Amino acid sequence: MKLRLPDDVVQAIEQAKRTAGWNNRRGEVQRFELVNCYGRKPCLLYVVPCRRWAYRRLERQAAEWQCQKGGDAA
């Protein structure tokens, strides 16, 4: 069975400019609002780079450590 993504999802992914090497760059999380065709509330689609998702815990721990040590370490 071959699944096909809805057109609005395909368009959102194209707008996110996912190109070769996209997951290796530090990208921002992008949010897209998809219209619900049944008249209900719209759905949100988040496009998150793999690197950002994989290191989220490490980044959070580093931020907590900096906060405990008195703010900005730089």
Side-chain angles (χ1 to χ4, degrees):
M1 186 166 100
K2 189 174 184 179
L3 297 176
R4 185 176 175 278
L5 292 174
D7 292 335
D8 52 351
V9 174
V10 172
Q11 184 179 12
I13 291 174
E14 286 174 2
Q15 280 184 320
K17 297 180 182 169
R18 292 198 48 178
T19 58
W22 180 78
N23 282 328
N24 295 327
R25 292 187 295 269
R26 184 165 185 91
E28 294 299 319
V29 175
Q30 298 179 29
R31 184 178 85 173
F32 297 94
E33 190 170 309
L34 306 177
V35 179
N36 191 329
C37 61
Y38 299 109
R40 297 186 183 138
K41 288 186 178 181
C43 173
L44 293 177
L45 170 69
Y46 290 92
V47 179
V48 181
C50 179
R51 179 179 227 163
R52 186 76 182 257
W53 179 259
Y55 294 116
R56 70 189 185 285
R57 183 177 296 136
L58 187 69
E59 289 175 356
R60 194 176 327 135
Q61 288 173 346
E64 288 174 3
W65 182 83
Q66 281 185 349
C67 186
Q68 289 176 356
K69 296 297 178 184
D72 215 5

